[in-house]
Amino acid sequence: MTLAELVFLVLAVIAVGSALLSMTSGQLVHSALWLVVTLGAVAGCFLLMTAEFVAWVQVLVYVGSVVVLVIFALMLTRQSTGEKSAEVTGNRWLAAILGVVAAIGLGATMIAGFRGEEIEGRRIGTAGSIGHALFTDWVLPFEILSGVLLAALVGAIVISRSGSDR
Amino acid sequence: MAWWGKGLVQGLAVTWKNLTRRSVTARYPDVEPDLPPRSRGVIALQEENCTSCMLCARECPSWCITIDSHKEIIPATTEGGRDRSQNVLDVFDIDYSICMYCSICIEVCPFDALHWSPEFAYAEGDLKDLTHDMNRLRTWMGTVPPPQALDAKAEQGKELESFRRSEGEA
Amino acid sequence: MSELVDAVLRCLLVLGAFLTLPLLVGQMEHKAMAHMQSRVGPMAAGGFHGWAQLVADGVKFVQKESIVPGAADRKVFELAPAVALVPYLVALLAIPLGPFFGQGNLVGQDLDLGLFFVLAAMSVGVLGTLMGGLGSGNKYSYIGGMRVAAQLMSYELPMVLAAASVAMLAGTLSLIGIAEAWEPWWLLAQLPGLVVFFVAGLAELQRPPFDAPLADAELVMGPLTEYGGMRFAMFLLAEYAGIVVLAGLTTVLFLGGWAGPWSDQLGWVWTLLKIVLVSFLVIWARVAYPRLREDQVNSLAWKVLVPLALAQIAFTTVLVVW
């Protein structure tokens, strides 16, 4: 086992562990902060797999914006320090089962698709290679995705305007 | 006319101008302040002028002056003359923890017993020590500056005029 | 072995810069702000024009008792200052200072994706303030935290867009690469981007005039209300380190980094000089302009900066393709 593999293992354990803590934590704010740890550890894993670009974008977008958005939503909707949140109870067992099923499904897909692939020595994650791939092999999915995002944007505007002057 | 960003430009200009000018800060503990004439620092008492008329104590808006006195008889100097009585101060306290430096006591004093001194550095560790008694008030007299000279073309004091006239007549 | 020594030396240098440059900026803020307001600022500490004022402040902060409010979320409250401070140290690692007497580039670590690295680190730093707002158990901190979040979401976008515009023109995401590709006419072509980046950076650091989250007249001190002693000092240091990082990034991206006469030998001096200049601008903006209201803060981001940044990107695209 090389040093890189060891570090990867540690990061993976951190990611999974903090993800579990984020799900079982009694307070929603703590859940959001554990999510930060999870995302950071996942970014570290990306880094070890030479996917630098994805790693930094992960930190920039998910830690820097998405988690902030989540926390902002939490703050707007409830006074969250101190008391226990109601969301922890309820459907937690069903959610756990669904989560496990999804994890198994995704993991199986990954293993089936990429088993035995070596990334040693191939810098597949640099900005240059990702940009090249995006605008050659993956142009159509990329454009479709931007269309989906645009639709979501328009939808958000429509929903947020519904209160005052439709 | 208000264009966009005008406030920012003005703010930047004003602050830059201030940056290039000398600052106006008074460097007090290192440099003694240059006080204007008639500065109100502390009230000095010339006790021999005081007749204990109590005008100052009564006019004081914050009631910070305490006066106590007794009468003394001055025997008649001439044969068959009448003995005169004089008020002698026992207590004259000004409590500077209440004083608001309004100068009314000094204005009303008919005998010029109270004067402004520009000394201002008499802070104390204890509030009670801010009550200056007669002796302490007396010591401030040494710091009272001479009255400021009149402006060149100002009207001279009336008493001076009458004094000159009487000089001329004599 | 020499590689290890080299790496350790670089890390120590970055740590040194991290501990001294923010103090320099802080002292400059003390003095420049004072003179802009016709005052003299600190004069006593250290003798000559109060040069040791921040050292004295530090000593005072260390002596203070560290208090955690009873209503606070203890772990979050205690962790917040570190989360605010460390990312800026990490960000400083990737900012190049330029050629050092022909000895190669003075940089902690030259990263292929330096720009994204620094921006990512900066966006994490703000999380510390947010944690402080959430964990203090104080309504003023709470409202301040909400304002931090709102501000961060608004200004992240124009900042990244403006930075992306330069990266497009340079054709690389490496900070050294961008600074080397820089040409004087970019100053004009990227001017809107420069303004957007600088303003968004100010807002991200919650520096006045974008300090609505701290707004002492309304919110006491916002997320920092409950902090004192060393923890508060760490937040302060984070603020000034943030200024250094922002100034360094602005210099490298928009002002050509070490471009200037004799840049092969004295490039690092040029970079430092420009960083000081931009830091001065940060301080000047603080003194010159009153705090924006909360709604003004957000409308400036969405109605002015984002369209401006998009226009800049479109213009840069035309330049690059043409």
Side-chain angles (χ1 to χ4, degrees):
Chain A
M1 189 181 267
T2 63
L3 186 67
E5 278 170 7
L6 195 71
V7 174
F8 187 90
L9 209 64
V10 169
L11 282 174
V13 168
I14 291 175
V16 173
S18 53
L20 282 177
L21 279 171
S22 136
M23 285 301 101
T24 55
S25 155
Q27 288 180 28
L28 274 177
V29 173
H30 286 186
S31 300
L33 293 175
W34 279 120
L35 188 60
V36 172
V37 180
T38 310
L39 294 171
V42 172
C45 292
F46 282 146
L47 208 57
L48 284 175
M49 292 190 287
T50 72
E52 290 172 33
F53 185 77
V54 183
W56 300 136
V57 168
Q58 163 107 351
V59 175
L60 184 66
V61 173
Y62 279 87
V63 178
S65 301
V66 171
V67 170
V68 172
L69 192 67
V70 167
I71 291 177
F72 188 60
L74 287 182
M75 292 174 105
L76 271 184
T77 46
R78 72 191 62 242
Q79 173 70 40
S80 51
T81 42
E83 72 222 52
K84 292 242 171 190
S85 61
E87 278 79 355
V88 179
T89 55
N91 298 328
R92 60 196 307 184
W93 292 113
L94 188 61
I97 292 167
L98 280 179
V100 170
V101 168
I104 290 172
L106 284 173
T109 317
M110 291 294 282
I111 290 171
F114 296 101
R115 184 163 43 183
E117 290 262 340
E118 289 277 333
I119 53 168
E120 203 76 40
R122 280 167 58 195
R123 307 274 294 172
I124 54 166
T126 60
S129 56
I130 284 188
H132 193 73
L134 261 187
F135 287 100
T136 51
D137 297 348
W138 304 95
V139 170
L140 199 61
F142 184 71
E143 290 301 326
I144 290 172
L145 265 183
S146 65
V148 170
L149 283 177
L150 189 66
L153 209 63
V154 173
I157 291 171
V158 168
I159 290 171
S160 63
R161 285 179 70 88
S162 64
S164 51
D165 49 352
R166 179 122 64 158
Chain B
M1 203 186 100
W3 34 279
W4 202 82
K6 186 186 178 189
L8 180 62
V9 173
Q10 278 178 338
L12 291 175
V14 167
T15 43
W16 182 259
K17 243 183 267 166
N18 277 337
L19 186 68
T20 50
R21 282 202 208 116
R22 273 196 86 75
S23 58
V24 294
T25 306
R27 310 277 314 280
Y28 160 56
D30 300 328
V31 182
E32 283 300 313
D34 188 18
L35 293 173
R38 295 194 290 274
S39 287
R40 299 177 183 183
V42 68
I43 296 164
L45 170 70
Q46 180 124 40
E47 69 195 68
E48 39 296 33
N49 283 4
C50 181
T51 62
S52 322
C53 68
M54 303 292 282
L55 278 178
C56 52
R58 268 188 265 172
E59 292 295 329
C60 178
S62 46
W63 293 37
C64 66
I65 303 179
T66 312
I67 298 177
D68 202 358
S69 64
H70 65 273
K71 273 205 167 98
E72 267 177 18
I73 307 291
I74 301 174
T77 43
T78 49
E79 195 66 30
R82 218 169 54 173
D83 292 347
R84 289 196 296 149
S85 66
Q86 186 192 20
N87 279 332
V88 176
L89 278 176
D90 294 326
V91 176
F92 193 107
D93 291 346
I94 297 181
D95 187 351
Y96 283 107
S97 61
I98 341 180
C99 175
M100 58 188 198
Y101 302 88
C102 65
S103 196
I104 288 178
C105 52
I106 291 164
E107 298 290 336
V108 298
C109 183
F111 304 110
D112 282 351
L114 296 172
H115 303 270
W116 275 121
S117 153
E119 292 296 314
F120 58 89
Y122 51 95
E124 298 283 356
D126 191 341
L127 205 62
K128 285 180 228 150
D129 296 336
L130 275 173
T131 304
H132 292 193
D133 64 5
M134 212 158 63
N135 300 326
R136 186 128 184 239
L137 288 171
R138 170 82 221 194
T139 58
W140 294 121
M141 267 318 284
T143 61
V144 175
Q148 197 197 2
L150 290 173
D151 289 343
K153 288 180 180 171
E155 190 187 336
Q156 294 298 304
K158 287 207 174 64
E159 64 274 23
L160 208 65
E161 287 293 305
S162 59
F163 173 72
R164 287 228 184 86
R165 224 175 292 131
S166 61
E167 285 278 279
E169 281 164 15
Chain C
M1 194 62 206
S2 73
E3 250 177 54
L4 189 70
V5 171
D6 188 53
V8 169
L9 205 66
R10 279 168 192 268
C11 282
L12 283 179
L13 265 176
V14 169
L15 193 66
F18 182 71
L19 291 177
T20 51
L21 286 181
L23 293 187
L24 267 175
V25 173
Q27 185 69 16
M28 183 161 79
E29 171 154 55
H30 271 318
K31 296 305 275 189
M33 189 161 83
H35 282 279
M36 281 176 179
Q37 296 167 340
S38 287
R39 302 181 286 114
V40 290
M43 291 297 278
F48 181 73
H49 285 268
W51 65 270
Q53 181 60 46
L54 288 172
V55 180
D57 282 351
V59 172
K60 189 191 80 175
F61 279 133
V62 170
Q63 288 169 339
K64 292 211 168 187
E65 184 186 356
S66 75
I67 298 169
V68 180
D73 191 337
R74 201 179 179 95
K75 283 273 154 33
V76 177
F77 182 85
E78 285 174 349
L79 207 61
V83 175
L85 186 58
V86 172
Y88 291 117
L89 173 61
V90 175
L92 217 54
L93 207 65
I95 292 181
L97 282 185
F100 183 75
F101 293 120
Q103 294 287 311
N105 211 310
L106 201 61
V107 59
Q109 183 64 51
D110 179 23
L111 291 171
D112 179 37
L113 286 158
L115 178 57
F116 266 82
F117 177 78
V118 176
L119 286 178
M122 277 181 85
S123 72
V124 174
V126 186
L127 215 59
T129 329
L130 199 56
M131 282 167 71
L134 276 168
S136 290
N138 175 320
K139 58 188 170 189
Y140 297 112
S141 304
Y142 200 81
I143 298 171
M146 271 169 69
R147 289 188 177 183
V148 171
Q151 193 159 317
L152 187 65
M153 280 187 296
S154 306
Y155 283 91
E156 186 95 342
L157 186 61
M159 191 167 179
V160 174
L161 286 179
S165 154
V166 184
M168 276 164 63
L169 201 51
T172 172
L173 284 170
S174 148
L175 287 175
I176 293 181
I178 290 174
E180 273 168 356
W182 187 84
E183 286 162 46
W185 63 270
W186 286 21
L187 218 50
L188 205 64
Q190 296 293 328
L191 189 63
L194 168 63
V195 173
V196 168
F197 186 83
F198 184 70
V199 172
L202 280 186
E204 196 140 319
L205 297 176
Q206 293 140 41
R207 285 284 304 174
F210 298 100
D211 63 337
L214 300 181
D216 48 4
E218 319 158 27
L219 297 181
V220 191
M221 196 66 186
L224 312 186
T225 304
E226 296 287 359
Y227 284 92
M230 262 331 268
R231 297 204 183 99
F232 183 69
M234 279 166 84
F235 270 120
L236 269 189
L237 188 62
E239 181 178 342
Y240 290 111
I243 296 177
V244 172
V245 170
L246 173 69
L249 212 51
T250 311
T251 303
V252 171
L253 291 181
F254 292 95
L255 304 178
W258 45 91
W262 304 292
S263 66
D264 288 343
Q265 307 292 321
L266 297 174
W268 59 284
V269 177
W270 283 110
T271 314
L272 281 178
L273 211 66
K274 286 172 186 174
I275 288 179
V276 169
L277 214 70
V278 177
S279 308
F280 177 77
L281 212 60
V282 173
I283 294 163
W284 195 6
R286 171 187 179 166
V287 187
Y289 208 64
R291 179 186 306 125
L292 268 69
R293 226 182 319 128
E294 183 55 22
D295 60 315
Q296 289 170 334
V297 167
N298 284 310
S299 71
L300 176 71
W302 291 109
K303 292 180 186 164
V304 180
L305 293 187
V306 170
L308 210 60
L310 287 173
Q312 172 71 69
I313 284 217
F315 179 62
T316 311
T317 314
V318 172
L319 275 181
V320 170
V321 173
W322 178 51

